[in-house]
Amino acid sequence: MPASTLITNIGELWTLDPALDDAPQQQVLRGAALLLEGERVAWYGPMSQTPAADVQVDAGGRAVLPGWVDSHSHLLFDGDRSAEFEARMAGRAYAAGGIQVTTDATRSALAGDLLEPLVRARIAEAWAGGTTCLETKTGYGLSLEGEALSARLAGRLVADGTLEEATYLGAHLVPREYAQDPDAYVDLAAGAMLEAALAAAGGRMRWADVFCEDGAFDEDASRRVLEAARQAGLGLRVHGHQLGRSGGVALACELGAASVDHVNHMSAADIEALAATADRPVRDAGAGTLAVDAGPTVATVLPACDLSTRAPLAPARALLDAGARIALASNCNPGTSYTSAMGFCVATAVLQMHLTLDEAIRAATRGGALALRRRDVGHLGVGARADVHLLEAPTAIHLAYRPGMPLTRAVWRRGRPIITARRP
Ligand code: NIG
């Protein structure tokens, strides 16, 4: 890998540099260059002042963005649920119970040590669309052994730098073995299973999540798991208000969760509750991270999932207007959103959720980083991780103007080219 790479002739450079948050119009430059040194951004500025570098890449007037930060995915699975999707398109409603189908397939794959190549292939797909920072969850093992094996795999992927953030989701669904005694499963998910997952991940798991919803875990059960996870030192995330007003939003705000995700069924009071957390101060935790137990509860909207389940779109516009912090994520999973295409999510947020392009891009970069309590990604300020997305377009509005087109030309992750341009 060259020690330094200078990307020149950038038509539109979205640095989203936090140092310029008071002057947001300066966070997008025209006719600019960007210098990557090792794993970091070392400089950006006008073409007239470009420094020397080992390698130069001519962007040809195209647009450059920070890599997407996808703060919600479920990549640790095996099995196919396309028939369920097809039935849904014919009118059947989505229900939490479909998770069990994936659990059966995932347990066999984990037992045979067959999951890792599938997960690595999914991550490679995400990178090919410009994603450079990914969170993923356990949650399809749903037994002590299954969750521990999933956590071990997630920990391994974090350790080798493939994945950034791992989340324990033992409370995804009460598996059929516990159908007669769901409380015993909650005890397990908040106790021995949590401990086993943390040990298996080898200290590389920062988060716990619960599916707080009808058919999954009610507010009391969710609280039990989240409080145990917080006690164990994990930051909190909540799947909330996907199918109805489950109480997950208030719970997330009360417990200081970093994010509540889905947020499809929202009252004015729910939106207000999230907005009221927007100014909670963050706390630096070193090495490019923020403390998991401080800061706002980010509302993470998942437009691909909303489309795939024919749910009412999350009210991203109203959340922003009320002053809440939002993130945009793929929710890549086999049941409700089998896509990691963040460009598609950005396009949908603009076309259907009525965000401006600027709001959608910020939600898919800086918003995701805040939801994951990271300072090092989601922007191209000096010192940021050199995660760069070169578009096959002169301006970023093409993402919404040409939805579905292959607009990722090249991607650098930690300063290393991982997708290179095939076309001249
Ligand atoms: O985020 N909502 C819960 N979990 C996933 C779906 C899981 C599944 O149906 O397999 C989601 O949509």
Side-chain angles (χ1 to χ4, degrees):
M1 178 173 115
S4 60
T5 302
L6 182 70
I7 307 175
T8 62
N9 200 12
I10 300 171
E12 190 179 81
L13 174 60
W14 291 65
T15 71
L16 303 180
D17 185 349
L20 296 173
D21 276 351
D22 289 340
Q25 66 290 351
Q26 292 175 31
Q27 292 173 317
V28 183
L29 307 176
R30 295 203 161 64
L34 177 70
L35 179 67
L36 318 181
E37 248 171 31
E39 294 199 352
R40 304 276 148 195
V41 172
W43 174 91
Y44 65 80
M47 277 296 289
S48 53
Q49 294 169 20
T50 51
D54 298 330
V55 171
Q56 280 208 15
V57 175
D58 186 342
R62 297 177 179 86
V64 163
L65 307 175
W68 306 124
V69 179
D70 187 353
S71 60
H72 183 138
S73 80
H74 305 249
L75 302 179
L76 306 174
F77 70 87
D78 196 6
D80 181 84
R81 305 235 315 260
S82 53
E84 175 187 321
F85 171 77
E86 202 169 356
R88 198 155 68 232
M89 294 305 104
R92 207 168 86 190
Y94 172 72
I99 292 168
Q100 182 72 56
V101 174
T102 300
T103 296
D104 295 338
T106 303
R107 284 177 180 169
S108 334
L110 284 166
D113 208 8
L114 298 173
L115 206 55
E116 184 162 345
L118 302 179
V119 178
R120 287 192 185 276
R122 287 177 195 130
I123 294 172
E125 264 183 359
W127 288 351
T131 296
T132 48
C133 174
L134 258 170
E135 177 267 10
T136 209
K137 304 171 201 299
T138 70
Y140 290 117
L142 302 186
S143 63
L144 193 134
E145 195 198 6
E147 285 299 297
L149 287 172
S150 298
R152 188 175 75 181
L153 174 53
R156 201 156 57 226
L157 293 166
V158 173
D160 75 10
T162 305
L163 197 67
E164 280 71 17
E165 298 285 339
T167 300
Y168 166 69
L169 182 56
H172 200 189
L173 184 81
V174 176
R176 68 165 78 78
E177 312 84 271
Y178 284 85
Q180 300 316 314
D181 191 1
D183 253 15
Y185 186 75
V186 177
D187 288 342
L188 180 69
M193 181 187 279
L194 168 66
E195 272 172 40
L198 282 178
R204 298 212 157 75
M205 188 159 267
R206 280 214 303 158
W207 303 102
D209 199 340
V210 295
F211 187 12
C212 179
E213 204 69 65
D214 236 19
F217 297 86
D218 66 15
E219 207 181 316
D220 283 351
S222 300
R223 179 188 294 277
R224 258 160 72 200
V225 176
L226 290 170
E227 284 181 341
R230 184 166 61 181
Q231 195 70 26
L234 297 181
L236 308 183
R237 327 185 68 74
V238 177
H239 282 63
H241 295 208
Q242 176 182 10
L243 307 177
R245 292 193 56 242
S246 59
V249 167
L251 185 65
C253 295
E254 178 202 325
L255 298 181
S259 181
V260 56
D261 304 36
H262 287 285
V263 296
N264 299 92
H265 297 270
M266 298 288 280
S267 68
D270 297 327
I271 292 177
E272 250 337 288
L274 280 163
T277 73
D279 295 325
R280 287 182 184 166
V282 295
R283 204 171 67 243
D284 195 69
T289 65
L290 298 167
V292 294
D293 61 350
T297 299
V298 174
T300 300
V301 301
L302 308 167
C305 174
D306 300 352
L307 293 181
S308 174
T309 54
R310 297 209 166 129
L313 291 172
R317 176 76 271 147
L319 283 157
L320 274 181
D321 290 345
R325 313 295 294 264
I326 71 161
L328 194 56
S330 74
N331 188 20
C332 183
N333 78 79
T336 63
S337 187
Y338 197 2
T339 176
S340 57
M342 288 290 283
F344 171 73
C345 295
V346 167
T348 307
V350 171
L351 295 169
Q352 301 279 15
M353 290 177 155
H354 301 276
L355 299 194
T356 65
L357 176 75
D358 183 78
E359 288 166 338
I361 288 179
R362 283 174 194 272
T365 53
R366 294 276 301 272
L370 181 62
L372 294 173
R373 297 296 191 257
R374 301 197 60 127
R375 288 187 308 118
D376 57 341
V377 296
H379 65 92
L380 297 171
V382 171
R385 222 170 80 167
D387 289 355
V388 181
H389 186 188
L390 171 60
L391 295 186
E392 189 55 77
T395 55
I397 192 64
H398 280 239
L399 289 165
Y401 174 49
R402 307 188 70 211
M405 298 304 288
L407 294 183
T408 296
R409 181 178 170 87
V411 180
W412 289 256
R413 186 168 174 272
R414 301 177 192 272
R416 185 185 292 271
I418 55 167
I419 305 292
T420 45
R422 258 175 264 130
R423 284 170 282 171

